Amino acid sequence: MTDFIPLSAPELAQYVRQASATGETLGVIGGGTRGLAPKDVSQIVSTSGLSGITFYEPSEMVIGARAGTPLTDVEQALADKGQMLAFEPMDHRPLMATRGQPTIGAVAACNISGPRRVSAGAARDHLIGIEMVNGRGEIIRSGGRVMKNVTGLDLVKLNAGAQGSLGILTEVIFKLMPIREQSLTLCWHGLDEADAIALMGEAMGTPFEIDAAAHIPDYGEEQGARTLLRLEGFAPSCTYRFKQLARLFSHHGQPEKIEGEKARALWRMVANAEPFTSPDFAHVLRVHIAVSKAPRLLEYASGWGVRTLIDWSGGLIWLGLEPDTDIAQWRQQIAALGGHARLVRSSQVPGPAFASPDEKIAGLMSGIKHAFDPAGIFNPGIL
Amino acid sequence: MTAIAFAQPDAAILARRDAIVAGLAALVPSDVLITNPDECRAYETDAFTAYRRMPMAVLLPRSTQEVAAIMAFCQEQGVNVVARGAGTSLAGGAIPQEDAVVIGVSRLNRVLEFDRPNRTLKVEAGITNLAVSAAVAPDGFFYAPDPSSQLACTIAGNIAMNSGGAHCLKYGVTTNNVLGATVVLADGSIVELGGDAMDMPGLDLLGLIVGSEGQLGIVTEAILRVLPLAEGARPVLFGFDTSEDAGACVAAIIGAGIVPVAMEFMDKPAIEICEAFAKAGYPLDVGAMLIIEVEGSDDEIDFTLQKIVEIANGHGVKVIKQSRSATETAQIWKGRKSAFGATGRIADYLCMDGTIPTSQLPYVLKRMSEIVAGYGLRVANVFHAGDGNLHPLILFNANDPEELAKAEMAGADILTLCVEVGGCLTGEHGVGIEKRDLMPKQFTREELDQQMRVRAVFDPQWRLNPSKVFPLENRWMPQ
Ligand SMILES: Cc1cc2nc3c(=O)[nH]c(=O)nc-3n(C[C@H](O)[C@H](O)[C@H](O)COP(=O)(O)OP(=O)(O)OC[C@H]3O[C@@H](n4cnc5c(N)ncnc54)[C@H](O)[C@@H]3O)c2cc1C
């Protein structure tokens, strides 16, 4: 399945120069857990040989790792020092029914974030440095190991989320946050989606530092609907904020307090979109939308009896759709609300990941692709 | 006194000046166009005042459409354009040139829409940083990036420079707090990047625009993340014998899992200068000082500050001043916030902006005083301790061209040192002209070319802020 496993950036750079000279196209895979196996390419390059943490300075809250380093290795090293990647990357394996190990490079390349994104920012906000090989087979570094850096154009941001279309990441550097002393989840039962969105939106506007806000609708199972707010910090602070929030939303009833493994499992389920693991959902759409416009989308979804899951206080909505759904029509609905949909899992062949309806923007994107990869050898067809 | 070169003015453009100005006059209402030299003089430099250039004309448009019309005209006529917000750049980013027009966005200063559940505020980009926070304060919100120049500087300038401030350790810099922008491209077309939702797919053009220093287009509107105000905030002030002790204390606080909203460091010269000016009650018998601020309810603040004080006690702290009231809080911050102003009263200064890995702090502070002393000058240090962003102020006399040259050389040496220890040339002020010629210290030829190839996608003719960021030699141009 894999044609080349470089062990160093220079080795990869030479391989890319050769490929571009001979007109070959390259697909890049990390752990392969997103089910995005590159198609229609002449060679597949795996980053698995580019592995290992290159430096870790807990007192500076930064870590560098080669792109193929398994995410678990990074997270373990951080946990040993009481730190974490604050953006809480999603694990695609349950949803995509894939195996293997997600890699830190793919987390950067695909800008993968989870529930804490709503308060702490996305993977792209924490990625402070990269080393990559571009389509000319040059090794390019941008950003670095310090968290404030505005020297030159920000190629780090361009590559975060570029899904390997501009080049192959060989090393990534992330800034970190401490793992908080305590994590508490408030859970209200039985709210409908409109009430849940209103509660979460209001809570996010309080000074009580909501760490994550999600709503799991009633799926006709025993638990019913659950609206979740997560608090993190020193224990007395969490207790205080819990009380304040319980009082503020007392008209919705007393929230249940969830902690420990039970809370972690709940948030894992939200992060990994586990309500959609069943193959009955032929298409799983991930929608990013303004919180204030989420209710309109949810209303539309409920008209079709579609299963939803709501994260980021309403800014992220997962939709599970039936086999014969008209996806284009959904995309239209979502675009009309200023949002954007990604077909994360589908029985259909997804279109280009980066299609922009604005011709000018599409032109800029393909210009940038060309600026990095003039021969178009990386992940062709993504734009 | 002209150590830093500007691109040679294009004689062909200068020769057509009158026709160009007439063309612009036909395009926009008369009060949008400024050509009178006396009025233009206000735009010939920014806060990097050692350099100045008179532009051909200054335009102060009132709408995105006007900006678009001007840009299209300039493109067609081959005229250079320098974008301008409030002109507070410390890197010379907004300094014009003789063959350019300035497009200032200061009149584009309206608040457009507050979306409370979404925690976003849509504004015109010429609004000042402080006015953004003021607009949402009645609803209990604020805009987090807080450059010390926030009373004057604009969101457009903040976006162009990816500006930071004292509270970045917790809340991030500009790029982490902008969701969308309306940008007028070189050919006058208007694009909306990002939006009111998080993490739009595709290449992150918005992330590229932030920090692009007016080279890719003119930002006219922005959608900003605003955050709920904390219930309260209070600082504690620590004095230490040495910078090493202060640095170790910062590392230990972070190591204990505490992320204060701000951790500001001042060395002895900076303490003396600020105390003489602000009478903030700073200790004068210490070698270094930290101001650390935490947020929350009163009890939360007490709890966290107590933990921080315990850590400081373990690191040889000599003076501890805890604020007990809003007045005391203001007092503690007053000295730090007036650092640049206070320094400006005793001497001219160059404000450097390198960033270093914080573990290198003691070494860098020591080397820095050696470097500056080597040129027979003095340096005072204030800096954002949590993130390693240094602001050495190199003191000199601007009326003495030789001293200016020495100060510039000392600055270049300091920035080179920052890169050598694993840091970068600029943490928040941008490259502008000031650090332009040092870029090869941080980047290889291939890396600079890669950045310029991206730049060329937006501005293949080098018409937008052309004298900035990239050294004038070896510029990459599309074939
Ligand atoms: C006393 C003082 C304290 C400061 N403190 C800080 C600080 O704490 N943190 C910090 O980060 N900076 C600080 N600065 C630097 C400066 O204030 C920032 O760089 C600020 O963002 C500049 O904003 P401005 O509106 O003045 O922009 P200008 O100086 O007018 O322009 C800055 C750059 O932005 C470009 N630009 C302006 N408008 C646009 C537009 N509409 N579209 C595209 N490009 C545009 C210009 O071409 C130029 O390159 C300080 C400056 C001073 C004088």
Side-chain angles (χ1 to χ4, degrees), chain B residues 82-110:
Chain B
V82 176
R84 187 179 182 97
T88 67
S89 171
L90 289 163
I95 301 179
Q97 52 192 62
E98 291 90 341
D99 56 359
V101 299
V102 168
I103 300 184
V105 291
S106 55
R107 281 178 182 161
L108 286 162
N109 60 2
R110 289 177 307 160

Side-chain angles (χ1 to χ4, degrees), chain A residues 184 186 188 199-200 202-212 229-231 237-255:
Chain A
L184 264 192
L186 295 82
W188 283 269
L199 183 152
M200 292 189 291
E202 201 179 325
M204 291 300 300
T206 66
F208 306 124
E209 294 200 60
I210 311 299
D211 182 70
L229 297 180
R230 188 170 69 191
L231 302 174
S237 161
C238 288
T239 308
Y240 165 75
R241 288 182 280 152
F242 185 100
K243 279 194 198 136
Q244 295 292 321
L245 288 161
R247 184 177 313 147
L248 192 61
F249 298 112
S250 57
H251 50 288
H252 290 307
Q254 264 307 302

Side-chain angles (χ1 to χ4, degrees), chain A residues 57-61 81-83 111 113 117-119 122-126 134-136 138-155 157-158 160-162 165-166 175 177-181 201-209 234-238 240-241 244 286 288-293 312-313 315-316 337-342 353-354 358 360-361 363-369 371-374 383, chain B residues 115-119 139-141 161-162 164-165 168-170 172-173 175-176 178 185 187 189-193 196-208 210-213 215-216 225 228-231 251 254-259 295-297 300 303-304 307 353 355-360 384 386-387 389 421-431 439 442-444 446-447 450-455 457-458 469-470:
Chain A
E57 286 290 343
S59 73
E60 291 172 18
M61 298 196 288
K81 300 282 181 197
Q83 296 186 334
N111 190 21
S113 314
R117 190 268 171 264
V118 74
S119 62
R124 58 87 88 176
D125 293 298
H126 297 262
N134 69 12
R136 282 179 298 278
E138 297 163 340
I139 298 172
I140 303 290
R141 298 189 72 103
S142 180
R145 59 175 292 181
V146 289
M147 54 179 94
K148 272 167 89 182
N149 186 343
V150 297
T151 324
L153 292 179
D154 193 345
L155 306 185
K157 293 285 178 307
L158 268 185
S165 59
L166 305 181
K175 65 175 176 169
M177 287 295 271
I179 295 175
R180 302 309 165 104
E181 180 182 284
E202 201 179 325
M204 291 300 300
T206 66
F208 306 124
E209 294 200 60
F234 290 116
S237 161
C238 288
Y240 165 75
R241 288 182 280 152
Q244 295 292 321
R286 178 188 168 105
H288 293 198
I289 192 167
V291 171
S292 47
K293 293 169 188 156
W312 298 356
S313 158
L316 166 60
L337 294 170
H340 202 283
R342 269 171 258 205
F354 293 177
D358 183 317
K360 199 76 202 175
I361 292 177
L364 291 174
M365 286 191 192
S366 65
I368 290 169
K369 161 85 176 153
F372 279 89
D373 177 21
L383 282 157
Chain B
D115 182 342
R116 187 182 169 123
N118 203 42
R119 298 177 299 140
D139 291 281
F141 285 77
M161 291 308 199
N162 191 12
C168 293
L169 187 58
K170 180 166 175 191
V173 294
T175 194
N176 312 117
V178 178
L185 300 174
D187 64 359
S189 53
I190 300 168
V191 290
E192 313 254 347
L193 305 178
D196 55 9
M198 287 176 266
D199 305 336
M200 296 303 226
L203 297 179
D204 188 357
L205 299 181
L206 178 66
L208 177 67
V210 178
S212 63
E213 307 201 19
Q215 301 179 95
L216 307 185
R225 164 70 76 226
L229 284 161
E231 285 182 90
I254 287 173
I258 304 172
V259 181
E295 290 181 338
S297 66
E300 289 176 288
F303 182 84
T304 314
K307 279 191 175 269
D353 175 47
T355 305
I356 57 163
T358 48
S359 56
Q360 298 287 334
H384 310 304
D387 51 30
N389 188 192
V421 300
C424 65
L425 295 173
T426 171
E428 58 180 16
H429 294 169
V431 176
M439 288 286 274
Q442 188 172 329
F443 297 108
T444 64
E446 286 80 18
E447 288 165 350
Q450 182 63 75
Q451 292 185 33
M452 287 188 277
R453 284 172 206 266
V454 170
R455 189 192 189 289
V457 173
F458 293 78
V469 183
F470 296 102

Side-chain angles (χ1 to χ4, degrees), chain B residues 140-385:
Chain B
F141 285 77
F142 75 112
Y143 176 63
D146 58 341
S148 321
S149 50
Q150 66 184 154
L151 188 63
C153 70
T154 63
I155 290 299
N158 293 174
I159 290 176
M161 291 308 199
N162 191 12
S163 302
H167 291 77
C168 293
L169 187 58
K170 180 166 175 191
Y171 296 113
V173 294
T174 301
T175 194
N176 312 117
N177 291 279
V178 178
L179 276 79
T182 303
V183 182
V184 179
L185 300 174
D187 64 359
S189 53
I190 300 168
V191 290
E192 313 254 347
L193 305 178
D196 55 9
M198 287 176 266
D199 305 336
M200 296 303 226
L203 297 179
D204 188 357
L205 299 181
L206 178 66
L208 177 67
I209 290 288
V210 178
S212 63
E213 307 201 19
Q215 301 179 95
L216 307 185
I218 307 264
V219 181
T220 58
E221 289 179 11
I223 301 174
L224 307 175
R225 164 70 76 226
V226 289
L227 299 172
L229 284 161
E231 285 182 90
R234 232 185 300 136
V236 57
L237 180 160
F238 293 137
F240 295 88
D241 278 340
T242 64
S243 314
E244 280 87 344
D245 289 348
C249 181
V250 167
I253 290 168
I254 287 173
I258 304 172
V259 181
V261 274
M263 285 208 268
E264 296 290 300
F265 173 102
M266 296 167 81
D267 70 359
K268 196 172 178 63
I271 300 170
E272 283 165 3
I273 291 168
C274 293
E275 178 59 16
F277 175 75
K279 309 275 182 300
Y282 290 173
L284 293 170
D285 54 350
V286 297
M289 205 181 93
L290 293 175
I291 299 174
I292 300 178
E293 183 160 275
V294 300
E295 290 181 338
S297 66
D298 264 343
D299 287 348
E300 289 176 288
I301 293 174
D302 284 342
F303 182 84
T304 314
L305 282 182
Q306 194 192 327
K307 279 191 175 269
I308 291 174
V309 169
E310 273 165 27
I311 294 170
N313 277 324
H315 286 81
V317 66
K318 286 282 134 52
V319 178
I320 302 177
K321 262 195 171 186
Q322 292 216 46
S323 160
R324 290 282 158 224
S325 67
T327 325
E328 283 179 30
T329 293
Q331 190 78 0
I332 288 178
W333 275 114
K334 190 176 165 210
R336 167 62 185 92
K337 291 206 166 156
S338 59
F340 292 2
T343 308
R345 282 166 45 113
I346 62 158
D348 300 297
Y349 66 85
L350 281 184
C351 175
M352 298 287 112
D353 175 47
T355 305
I356 57 163
T358 48
S359 56
Q360 298 287 334
L361 179 65
Y363 169 71
V364 170
L365 285 176
K366 186 169 137 289
R367 275 293 297 136
M368 239 164 20
S369 10
E370 289 167 7
I371 289 171
V372 177
Y375 288 100
L377 300 173
R378 284 190 303 150
V379 61
N381 272 292
V382 293
F383 90 92
H384 310 304

